[in-house]
Amino acid sequence: MAGVDTSPEVMLTFYRRLYPFKSIFNWLNHEHAPTRLFTNREFAFTLPGDVYLRYNSFSAVEELKKQVCHLNPTRFEVGPVYSLRPRDKKSARPGMFNPLQRELVFDIDMTDYDPVRTCCSGADICRRCWVFIALAVKVLDAAIREQFGYEDLLWVYSGRRGIHLWISDKEAMELTDDQRKALVGWMTVLHGGQESSKKLNVRSGSRSLPPPLQTAVDILKETFTDLILSDQNLFASKEGYEILLEQIPDSQTVSHLRGKWASDPDRSSEDKWQDFKKEVKGYEKGSSQRVRSSLSCDIHLLMNIRQNNLLAAMEDIILFYTYPRIDAEVSKHRNHLLKAPFCVHPKTGRVCVPVDPQRIEDFDPESVPTVNQLLQELDTFRGTEGETMEHHSGTAFQSGSNIHLIAISDWERTSLKPYVDIMDKHALRLMERVRQEKRGKGTAILDFPST
C-alpha cells in the first residue's frame, strides 16, 4: 500500500499512545486481577530483521506494555496458557511444561480463494472478493454456535486479506489437540492453506448432505448467483467452465455441456449455469432422457440415480465455490501462535480490528484505519484542543464552581474507538460469565448490547 509508514518511530508512538493493552488483558484474562490465563500465557514478538522471540510471559498488563514499548516489535502474537510461566520454560523439568488451554482459533485467508475469484489475486483484496470472507463469517458463526453451543466468538480482521476467529468459551479453551483436529475436520469441506485441494469430500454418491452442510447450502445459494455467476463471472472462460465440468459426475452431461459452450464462447456464466440446470431437469421432463413407466425397473432406477447424482452435484458446486476455506493447521494445535488483535499489518499499515459478524456484509477492509491515519487524527485533535496530552488524558466539564476531569484514552479520540468498543463488550461478557460462575448463579449472563 503506497504511502504507508510503519517505521519504528511510528510503531513506538502507536504502542505508547493508541494500543489498547487493557482491553487485550481483559479479553485474555477474563477477570480484573491477573490469573493464570494471563500470567501463564505465551507472547511472541517479531522484531525488525525477522528476529523472533518466543516464550515471553508477564505478571500484569503493565509489564506487557513496558516490554512491547521496549522491544517495539513489528507485531506480536498470542499463544496458549501453559502449565508453567513461559519465561520459566528453560528451568522446567522435562515433561512439566505443556500447553493446557487455548482459544479455539480459525483462519480464513483470501489467497485460498484465488481459484474462485477473478477480481483480485494473491495478497490483493477488494469489496467484491470480500464477499467470500463475509460468507465464511456468516456460515461459520452460525454453525459453531448451533452445532457446538459456543457463544464467546471474536472475529478479527487480519489487516490485509483475511479474518481470524477466537473462541473463548471455557469448553473450547480446554479442547485437546485431538479434539480440535476432530472439530475442524468436521467443519472442513475444502481445505485452505497448504492442504488446498480441488475436490470435496462431503458425501458418497447422491447421499444427502449432513444437516449442518445442508443448512450452509441454504445460506450460500442465496449469494451464489450474484457472487459467482454475475460478479466474478467464473464460468465465462474455457478454463473457468472446465473447472465447473470437473465437478459434474455424469460424463454424458459433461460432454453435452462442453460441446454447447465450445460452440458458443460468448455465453455468460449465468447462461451456462442455466444450461446445467436444464440438463438436470431433463431427467424429469423428458426429451431423450425422460423416464416412462413402460421402461424396465433397472433403467428407471439408473435414471433416478443419475438425476440424484446431478442434483447432489449442484449442491456440491455451491459448496465448492462459496463454502469457507479453513486453514486447518491453524486450528488443530493448542501451541499455535496467532497475531494479536490491534497489531498493525506491516504491508498495509491497517490495524487488525474486531468486527461485528452481524454486520459483516457492511464491513469494508479498505476503510479500516491505518496507523498513520490514527496518529494524524490524534495530532489533529491536539491541535484543535490546543492541549498537550499524554497517552491517558482527560475531558473537563464544569458543574457549578467545580471543574471535573474524566480520564480517557487516546484511542477514544480516534476512529479506532468503535473497534475497541467491540473488544471491550466481548471482554465484559467473558468477565461477567466468570463472576456469575463464582457466585454460583449458573449461566445467567448480562445481555450486553451488540454494536
Side-chain angles (χ1 to χ4, degrees), residues 181-222:
K181 183 178 180 179
L183 187 150
V184 74
W186 173 255
M187 299 293 298
T188 300
V189 168
L190 193 73
H191 290 286
Q194 296 180 350
E195 298 182 4
S196 185
S197 62
K198 291 185 177 181
K199 292 293 184 180
L200 298 181
N201 184 25
V202 294
R203 69 170 106 219
S204 176
S206 61
R207 188 178 63 186
S208 298
L209 287 170
L213 284 183
Q214 189 61 59
T215 300
V217 168
D218 293 340
I219 295 173
L220 295 169
K221 68 183 181 182
E222 298 176 0

mmCIF file of all heavy atoms in Angstrom, residues 181-222:
data_model
loop_
_atom_site.group_PDB
_atom_site.id
_atom_site.type_symbol
_atom_site.label_atom_id
_atom_site.label_comp_id
_atom_site.label_asym_id
_atom_site.label_seq_id
_atom_site.Cartn_x
_atom_site.Cartn_y
_atom_site.Cartn_z
ATOM 1 N N LYS A 181 -8.586 -31.201 16.287
ATOM 2 C CA LYS A 181 -8.447 -31.776 14.955
ATOM 3 C C LYS A 181 -9.759 -32.379 14.481
ATOM 4 O O LYS A 181 -10.159 -32.212 13.319
ATOM 5 C CB LYS A 181 -7.348 -32.837 14.970
ATOM 6 C CG LYS A 181 -7.061 -33.451 13.614
ATOM 7 C CD LYS A 181 -5.917 -34.454 13.698
ATOM 8 C CE LYS A 181 -5.629 -35.062 12.339
ATOM 9 N NZ LYS A 181 -4.498 -36.037 12.398
ATOM 10 N N ALA A 182 -10.449 -33.065 15.387
ATOM 11 C CA ALA A 182 -11.730 -33.672 15.022
ATOM 12 C C ALA A 182 -12.770 -32.603 14.715
ATOM 13 O O ALA A 182 -13.542 -32.723 13.755
ATOM 14 C CB ALA A 182 -12.219 -34.575 16.155
ATOM 15 N N LEU A 183 -12.783 -31.553 15.519
ATOM 16 C CA LEU A 183 -13.769 -30.490 15.320
ATOM 17 C C LEU A 183 -13.553 -29.778 13.994
ATOM 18 O O LEU A 183 -14.498 -29.570 13.216
ATOM 19 C CB LEU A 183 -13.700 -29.513 16.489
ATOM 20 C CG LEU A 183 -14.768 -28.409 16.545
ATOM 21 C CD1 LEU A 183 -15.068 -28.023 17.991
ATOM 22 C CD2 LEU A 183 -14.346 -27.161 15.773
ATOM 23 N N VAL A 184 -12.302 -29.398 13.724
ATOM 24 C CA VAL A 184 -12.040 -28.676 12.483
ATOM 25 C C VAL A 184 -12.235 -29.586 11.278
ATOM 26 O O VAL A 184 -12.652 -29.143 10.196
ATOM 27 C CB VAL A 184 -10.627 -28.051 12.491
ATOM 28 C CG1 VAL A 184 -9.543 -29.089 12.296
ATOM 29 C CG2 VAL A 184 -10.504 -26.973 11.418
ATOM 30 N N GLY A 185 -11.975 -30.894 11.459
ATOM 31 C CA GLY A 185 -12.245 -31.839 10.376
ATOM 32 C C GLY A 185 -13.723 -31.907 10.040
ATOM 33 O O GLY A 185 -14.108 -32.006 8.874
ATOM 34 N N TRP A 186 -14.558 -31.836 11.069
ATOM 35 C CA TRP A 186 -15.999 -31.845 10.871
ATOM 36 C C TRP A 186 -16.460 -30.585 10.141
ATOM 37 O O TRP A 186 -17.380 -30.631 9.329
ATOM 38 C CB TRP A 186 -16.692 -31.958 12.234
ATOM 39 C CG TRP A 186 -18.177 -31.817 12.206
ATOM 40 C CD1 TRP A 186 -18.909 -30.737 12.613
ATOM 41 C CD2 TRP A 186 -19.128 -32.778 11.736
ATOM 42 N NE1 TRP A 186 -20.248 -30.965 12.434
ATOM 43 C CE2 TRP A 186 -20.413 -32.211 11.897
ATOM 44 C CE3 TRP A 186 -19.014 -34.058 11.201
ATOM 45 C CZ2 TRP A 186 -21.574 -32.888 11.539
ATOM 46 C CZ3 TRP A 186 -20.182 -34.723 10.841
ATOM 47 C CH2 TRP A 186 -21.428 -34.136 11.023
ATOM 48 N N MET A 187 -15.771 -29.458 10.417
ATOM 49 C CA MET A 187 -16.174 -28.186 9.824
ATOM 50 C C MET A 187 -15.610 -27.975 8.422
ATOM 51 O O MET A 187 -16.058 -27.090 7.700
ATOM 52 C CB MET A 187 -15.696 -27.027 10.709
ATOM 53 C CG MET A 187 -16.263 -27.009 12.114
ATOM 54 S SD MET A 187 -18.036 -26.685 12.141
ATOM 55 C CE MET A 187 -18.092 -25.058 11.423
ATOM 56 N N THR A 188 -14.613 -28.778 8.036
ATOM 57 C CA THR A 188 -13.900 -28.535 6.783
ATOM 58 C C THR A 188 -14.561 -29.270 5.611
ATOM 59 O O THR A 188 -14.818 -30.469 5.683
ATOM 60 C CB THR A 188 -12.426 -28.980 6.901
ATOM 61 O OG1 THR A 188 -11.804 -28.231 7.950
ATOM 62 C CG2 THR A 188 -11.688 -28.736 5.605
ATOM 63 N N VAL A 189 -14.823 -28.535 4.562
ATOM 64 C CA VAL A 189 -15.340 -29.103 3.313
ATOM 65 C C VAL A 189 -14.253 -29.081 2.252
ATOM 66 O O VAL A 189 -14.018 -30.058 1.546
ATOM 67 C CB VAL A 189 -16.579 -28.322 2.832
ATOM 68 C CG1 VAL A 189 -16.943 -28.695 1.408
ATOM 69 C CG2 VAL A 189 -17.757 -28.596 3.760
ATOM 70 N N LEU A 190 -13.585 -27.941 2.136
ATOM 71 C CA LEU A 190 -12.489 -27.798 1.179
ATOM 72 C C LEU A 190 -11.335 -27.157 1.923
ATOM 73 O O LEU A 190 -11.480 -26.088 2.509
ATOM 74 C CB LEU A 190 -12.915 -26.926 -0.002
ATOM 75 C CG LEU A 190 -12.007 -26.940 -1.224
ATOM 76 C CD1 LEU A 190 -12.152 -28.271 -1.963
ATOM 77 C CD2 LEU A 190 -12.324 -25.795 -2.171
ATOM 78 N N HIS A 191 -10.188 -27.808 1.937
ATOM 79 C CA HIS A 191 -9.052 -27.330 2.717
ATOM 80 C C HIS A 191 -8.481 -26.048 2.124
ATOM 81 O O HIS A 191 -8.374 -25.889 0.917
ATOM 82 C CB HIS A 191 -7.948 -28.386 2.767
ATOM 83 C CG HIS A 191 -8.303 -29.581 3.598
ATOM 84 N ND1 HIS A 191 -8.332 -29.532 4.970
ATOM 85 C CD2 HIS A 191 -8.644 -30.846 3.249
ATOM 86 C CE1 HIS A 191 -8.667 -30.719 5.439
ATOM 87 N NE2 HIS A 191 -8.876 -31.538 4.420
ATOM 88 N N GLY A 192 -8.095 -25.153 3.013
ATOM 89 C CA GLY A 192 -7.312 -23.992 2.632
ATOM 90 C C GLY A 192 -5.872 -24.212 3.039
ATOM 91 O O GLY A 192 -5.473 -25.301 3.426
ATOM 92 N N GLY A 193 -5.065 -23.149 2.968
ATOM 93 C CA GLY A 193 -3.678 -23.251 3.387
ATOM 94 C C GLY A 193 -2.905 -24.210 2.509
ATOM 95 O O GLY A 193 -3.160 -24.366 1.313
ATOM 96 N N GLN A 194 -1.928 -24.900 3.098
ATOM 97 C CA GLN A 194 -1.069 -25.803 2.344
ATOM 98 C C GLN A 194 -1.804 -27.058 1.885
ATOM 99 O O GLN A 194 -1.313 -27.772 1.021
ATOM 100 C CB GLN A 194 0.144 -26.183 3.195
ATOM 101 C CG GLN A 194 1.036 -24.998 3.523
ATOM 102 C CD GLN A 194 2.240 -25.390 4.366
ATOM 103 O OE1 GLN A 194 2.313 -26.513 4.863
ATOM 104 N NE2 GLN A 194 3.169 -24.476 4.525
ATOM 105 N N GLU A 195 -2.972 -27.332 2.487
ATOM 106 C CA GLU A 195 -3.714 -28.537 2.126
ATOM 107 C C GLU A 195 -4.785 -28.252 1.074
ATOM 108 O O GLU A 195 -5.684 -29.053 0.863
ATOM 109 C CB GLU A 195 -4.372 -29.139 3.365
ATOM 110 C CG GLU A 195 -3.391 -29.589 4.436
ATOM 111 C CD GLU A 195 -4.093 -30.218 5.617
ATOM 112 O OE1 GLU A 195 -5.325 -30.367 5.563
ATOM 113 O OE2 GLU A 195 -3.424 -30.566 6.586
ATOM 114 N N SER A 196 -4.689 -27.095 0.439
ATOM 115 C CA SER A 196 -5.716 -26.691 -0.520
ATOM 116 C C SER A 196 -5.900 -27.751 -1.601
ATOM 117 O O SER A 196 -4.949 -28.290 -2.158
ATOM 118 C CB SER A 196 -5.324 -25.353 -1.165
ATOM 119 O OG SER A 196 -6.345 -24.892 -2.005
ATOM 120 N N SER A 197 -7.155 -28.057 -1.912
ATOM 121 C CA SER A 197 -7.463 -29.097 -2.890
ATOM 122 C C SER A 197 -8.627 -28.657 -3.767
ATOM 123 O O SER A 197 -9.244 -27.628 -3.541
ATOM 124 C CB SER A 197 -7.813 -30.411 -2.175
ATOM 125 O OG SER A 197 -8.960 -30.231 -1.368
ATOM 126 N N LYS A 198 -8.920 -29.474 -4.778
ATOM 127 C CA LYS A 198 -9.980 -29.140 -5.718
ATOM 128 C C LYS A 198 -11.205 -30.027 -5.584
ATOM 129 O O LYS A 198 -12.186 -29.833 -6.291
ATOM 130 C CB LYS A 198 -9.454 -29.250 -7.160
ATOM 131 C CG LYS A 198 -8.434 -28.192 -7.528
ATOM 132 C CD LYS A 198 -8.065 -28.299 -8.999
ATOM 133 C CE LYS A 198 -7.094 -27.208 -9.417
ATOM 134 N NZ LYS A 198 -6.757 -27.296 -10.860
ATOM 135 N N LYS A 199 -11.153 -30.995 -4.702
ATOM 136 C CA LYS A 199 -12.255 -31.935 -4.589
ATOM 137 C C LYS A 199 -12.910 -31.860 -3.221
ATOM 138 O O LYS A 199 -12.257 -31.681 -2.202
ATOM 139 C CB LYS A 199 -11.747 -33.363 -4.831
ATOM 140 C CG LYS A 199 -11.296 -33.624 -6.258
ATOM 141 C CD LYS A 199 -12.462 -33.582 -7.240
ATOM 142 C CE LYS A 199 -12.005 -33.938 -8.649
ATOM 143 N NZ LYS A 199 -13.140 -33.900 -9.611
ATOM 144 N N LEU A 200 -14.242 -32.016 -3.231
ATOM 145 C CA LEU A 200 -14.983 -32.070 -1.987
ATOM 146 C C LEU A 200 -15.027 -33.502 -1.472
ATOM 147 O O LEU A 200 -14.925 -34.451 -2.240
ATOM 148 C CB LEU A 200 -16.413 -31.576 -2.208
ATOM 149 C CG LEU A 200 -16.600 -30.139 -2.679
ATOM 150 C CD1 LEU A 200 -18.088 -29.841 -2.811
ATOM 151 C CD2 LEU A 200 -15.958 -29.156 -1.736
ATOM 152 N N ASN A 201 -15.199 -33.627 -0.173
ATOM 153 C CA ASN A 201 -15.344 -34.955 0.421
ATOM 154 C C ASN A 201 -16.454 -34.864 1.465
ATOM 155 O O ASN A 201 -16.217 -34.915 2.665
ATOM 156 C CB ASN A 201 -14.028 -35.402 1.066
ATOM 157 C CG ASN A 201 -14.114 -36.810 1.613
ATOM 158 O OD1 ASN A 201 -14.924 -37.606 1.147
ATOM 159 N ND2 ASN A 201 -13.306 -37.118 2.617
ATOM 160 N N VAL A 202 -17.686 -34.706 0.972
ATOM 161 C CA VAL A 202 -18.792 -34.439 1.883
ATOM 162 C C VAL A 202 -19.902 -35.486 1.822
ATOM 163 O O VAL A 202 -20.791 -35.488 2.649
ATOM 164 C CB VAL A 202 -19.403 -33.043 1.601
ATOM 165 C CG1 VAL A 202 -18.394 -31.961 1.919
ATOM 166 C CG2 VAL A 202 -19.876 -32.929 0.153
ATOM 167 N N ARG A 203 -19.845 -36.373 0.864
ATOM 168 C CA ARG A 203 -20.902 -37.383 0.743
ATOM 169 C C ARG A 203 -20.416 -38.530 -0.124
ATOM 170 O O ARG A 203 -19.368 -38.440 -0.759
ATOM 171 C CB ARG A 203 -22.170 -36.764 0.157
ATOM 172 C CG ARG A 203 -22.022 -36.365 -1.290
ATOM 173 C CD ARG A 203 -23.372 -35.994 -1.895
ATOM 174 N NE ARG A 203 -23.524 -34.567 -2.091
ATOM 175 C CZ ARG A 203 -24.657 -33.924 -1.879
ATOM 176 N NH1 ARG A 203 -25.716 -34.584 -1.473
ATOM 177 N NH2 ARG A 203 -24.749 -32.625 -2.088
ATOM 178 N N SER A 204 -21.186 -39.577 -0.154
ATOM 179 C CA SER A 204 -20.904 -40.708 -1.023
ATOM 180 C C SER A 204 -22.000 -40.786 -2.071
ATOM 181 O O SER A 204 -23.169 -41.026 -1.747
ATOM 182 C CB SER A 204 -20.844 -42.011 -0.210
ATOM 183 O OG SER A 204 -20.668 -43.119 -1.070
ATOM 184 N N GLY A 205 -21.619 -40.534 -3.327
ATOM 185 C CA GLY A 205 -22.614 -40.564 -4.392
ATOM 186 C C GLY A 205 -23.667 -39.500 -4.195
ATOM 187 O O GLY A 205 -23.382 -38.336 -3.968
ATOM 188 N N SER A 206 -24.931 -39.909 -4.280
ATOM 189 C CA SER A 206 -26.044 -38.965 -4.168
ATOM 190 C C SER A 206 -26.594 -38.884 -2.755
ATOM 191 O O SER A 206 -27.651 -38.299 -2.536
ATOM 192 C CB SER A 206 -27.169 -39.377 -5.132
ATOM 193 O OG SER A 206 -27.646 -40.668 -4.793
ATOM 194 N N ARG A 207 -25.902 -39.484 -1.803
ATOM 195 C CA ARG A 207 -26.383 -39.460 -0.429
ATOM 196 C C ARG A 207 -26.573 -38.023 0.045
ATOM 197 O O ARG A 207 -25.811 -37.131 -0.310
ATOM 198 C CB ARG A 207 -25.377 -40.182 0.480
ATOM 199 C CG ARG A 207 -25.867 -40.395 1.897
ATOM 200 C CD ARG A 207 -24.833 -41.164 2.698
ATOM 201 N NE ARG A 207 -23.590 -40.408 2.814
ATOM 202 C CZ ARG A 207 -22.488 -40.892 3.361
ATOM 203 N NH1 ARG A 207 -22.457 -42.144 3.795
ATOM 204 N NH2 ARG A 207 -21.409 -40.151 3.452
ATOM 205 N N SER A 208 -27.583 -37.795 0.855
ATOM 206 C CA SER A 208 -27.888 -36.442 1.304
ATOM 207 C C SER A 208 -26.737 -35.857 2.107
ATOM 208 O O SER A 208 -25.960 -36.576 2.749
ATOM 209 C CB SER A 208 -29.157 -36.450 2.168
ATOM 210 O OG SER A 208 -30.273 -36.893 1.423
ATOM 211 N N LEU A 209 -26.648 -34.538 2.066
ATOM 212 C CA LEU A 209 -25.642 -33.849 2.858
ATOM 213 C C LEU A 209 -25.976 -33.971 4.341
ATOM 214 O O LEU A 209 -27.148 -34.068 4.716
ATOM 215 C CB LEU A 209 -25.609 -32.363 2.494
ATOM 216 C CG LEU A 209 -24.992 -31.971 1.155
ATOM 217 C CD1 LEU A 209 -25.284 -30.495 0.876
ATOM 218 C CD2 LEU A 209 -23.493 -32.214 1.141
ATOM 219 N N PRO A 210 -24.971 -33.947 5.208
ATOM 220 C CA PRO A 210 -25.258 -33.851 6.634
ATOM 221 C C PRO A 210 -26.069 -32.577 6.902
ATOM 222 O O PRO A 210 -25.887 -31.573 6.212
ATOM 223 C CB PRO A 210 -23.871 -33.763 7.274
ATOM 224 C CG PRO A 210 -22.944 -34.357 6.256
ATOM 225 C CD PRO A 210 -23.541 -34.027 4.922
ATOM 226 N N PRO A 211 -26.967 -32.600 7.866
ATOM 227 C CA PRO A 211 -27.822 -31.428 8.128
ATOM 228 C C PRO A 211 -27.069 -30.106 8.245
ATOM 229 O O PRO A 211 -27.527 -29.090 7.695
ATOM 230 C CB PRO A 211 -28.541 -31.804 9.426
ATOM 231 C CG PRO A 211 -28.601 -33.300 9.388
ATOM 232 C CD PRO A 211 -27.321 -33.740 8.739
ATOM 233 N N PRO A 212 -25.902 -30.039 8.939
ATOM 234 C CA PRO A 212 -25.203 -28.758 9.026
ATOM 235 C C PRO A 212 -24.781 -28.217 7.664
ATOM 236 O O PRO A 212 -24.854 -27.012 7.415
ATOM 237 C CB PRO A 212 -23.982 -29.076 9.902
ATOM 238 C CG PRO A 212 -24.383 -30.261 10.705
ATOM 239 C CD PRO A 212 -25.246 -31.072 9.779
ATOM 240 N N LEU A 213 -24.331 -29.127 6.763
ATOM 241 C CA LEU A 213 -23.934 -28.669 5.436
ATOM 242 C C LEU A 213 -25.142 -28.287 4.594
ATOM 243 O O LEU A 213 -25.065 -27.383 3.756
ATOM 244 C CB LEU A 213 -23.116 -29.756 4.729
ATOM 245 C CG LEU A 213 -21.671 -29.920 5.199
ATOM 246 C CD1 LEU A 213 -20.967 -30.982 4.366
ATOM 247 C CD2 LEU A 213 -20.916 -28.602 5.115
ATOM 248 N N GLN A 214 -26.257 -28.953 4.809
ATOM 249 C CA GLN A 214 -27.470 -28.576 4.101
ATOM 250 C C GLN A 214 -27.897 -27.172 4.517
ATOM 251 O O GLN A 214 -28.329 -26.361 3.682
ATOM 252 C CB GLN A 214 -28.594 -29.571 4.389
ATOM 253 C CG GLN A 214 -29.824 -29.358 3.516
ATOM 254 C CD GLN A 214 -29.525 -29.521 2.035
ATOM 255 O OE1 GLN A 214 -29.085 -30.575 1.598
ATOM 256 N NE2 GLN A 214 -29.744 -28.450 1.269
ATOM 257 N N THR A 215 -27.753 -26.865 5.794
ATOM 258 C CA THR A 215 -28.045 -25.513 6.282
ATOM 259 C C THR A 215 -27.112 -24.502 5.628
ATOM 260 O O THR A 215 -27.531 -23.403 5.242
ATOM 261 C CB THR A 215 -27.892 -25.453 7.816
ATOM 262 O OG1 THR A 215 -28.817 -26.376 8.414
ATOM 263 C CG2 THR A 215 -28.169 -24.052 8.338
ATOM 264 N N ALA A 216 -25.829 -24.874 5.505
ATOM 265 C CA ALA A 216 -24.861 -23.983 4.863
ATOM 266 C C ALA A 216 -25.228 -23.732 3.406
ATOM 267 O O ALA A 216 -25.149 -22.592 2.922
ATOM 268 C CB ALA A 216 -23.457 -24.577 4.967
ATOM 269 N N VAL A 217 -25.634 -24.786 2.689
ATOM 270 C CA VAL A 217 -26.040 -24.627 1.290
ATOM 271 C C VAL A 217 -27.207 -23.648 1.185
ATOM 272 O O VAL A 217 -27.253 -22.800 0.286
ATOM 273 C CB VAL A 217 -26.407 -25.985 0.663
ATOM 274 C CG1 VAL A 217 -27.102 -25.779 -0.688
ATOM 275 C CG2 VAL A 217 -25.168 -26.843 0.483
ATOM 276 N N ASP A 218 -28.155 -23.753 2.101
ATOM 277 C CA ASP A 218 -29.314 -22.858 2.076
ATOM 278 C C ASP A 218 -28.895 -21.403 2.239
ATOM 279 O O ASP A 218 -29.512 -20.495 1.677
ATOM 280 C CB ASP A 218 -30.293 -23.241 3.187
ATOM 281 C CG ASP A 218 -30.935 -24.611 2.941
ATOM 282 O OD1 ASP A 218 -30.922 -25.062 1.783
ATOM 283 O OD2 ASP A 218 -31.414 -25.225 3.920
ATOM 284 N N ILE A 219 -27.825 -21.159 3.016
ATOM 285 C CA ILE A 219 -27.310 -19.794 3.181
ATOM 286 C C ILE A 219 -26.534 -19.362 1.941
ATOM 287 O O ILE A 219 -26.718 -18.257 1.418
ATOM 288 C CB ILE A 219 -26.389 -19.711 4.423
ATOM 289 C CG1 ILE A 219 -27.196 -19.980 5.696
ATOM 290 C CG2 ILE A 219 -25.707 -18.347 4.503
ATOM 291 C CD1 ILE A 219 -26.335 -20.074 6.950
ATOM 292 N N LEU A 220 -25.689 -20.252 1.444
ATOM 293 C CA LEU A 220 -24.768 -19.898 0.360
ATOM 294 C C LEU A 220 -25.462 -19.731 -0.985
ATOM 295 O O LEU A 220 -25.057 -18.897 -1.796
ATOM 296 C CB LEU A 220 -23.686 -20.976 0.247
ATOM 297 C CG LEU A 220 -22.754 -21.103 1.459
ATOM 298 C CD1 LEU A 220 -21.910 -22.368 1.342
ATOM 299 C CD2 LEU A 220 -21.870 -19.884 1.595
ATOM 300 N N LYS A 221 -26.504 -20.518 -1.242
ATOM 301 C CA LYS A 221 -27.147 -20.446 -2.562
ATOM 302 C C LYS A 221 -27.825 -19.105 -2.787
ATOM 303 O O LYS A 221 -28.045 -18.706 -3.940
ATOM 304 C CB LYS A 221 -28.135 -21.592 -2.733
ATOM 305 C CG LYS A 221 -29.355 -21.539 -1.848
ATOM 306 C CD LYS A 221 -30.219 -22.768 -2.060
ATOM 307 C CE LYS A 221 -31.480 -22.760 -1.196
ATOM 308 N NZ LYS A 221 -32.279 -23.991 -1.384
ATOM 309 N N GLU A 222 -28.138 -18.388 -1.699
ATOM 310 C CA GLU A 222 -28.740 -17.066 -1.840
ATOM 311 C C GLU A 222 -27.773 -16.078 -2.483
ATOM 312 O O GLU A 222 -28.193 -15.119 -3.121
ATOM 313 C CB GLU A 222 -29.184 -16.546 -0.475
ATOM 314 C CG GLU A 222 -30.255 -17.396 0.204
ATOM 315 C CD GLU A 222 -30.588 -16.903 1.601
ATOM 316 O OE1 GLU A 222 -29.977 -15.898 2.032
ATOM 317 O OE2 GLU A 222 -31.435 -17.516 2.265
#
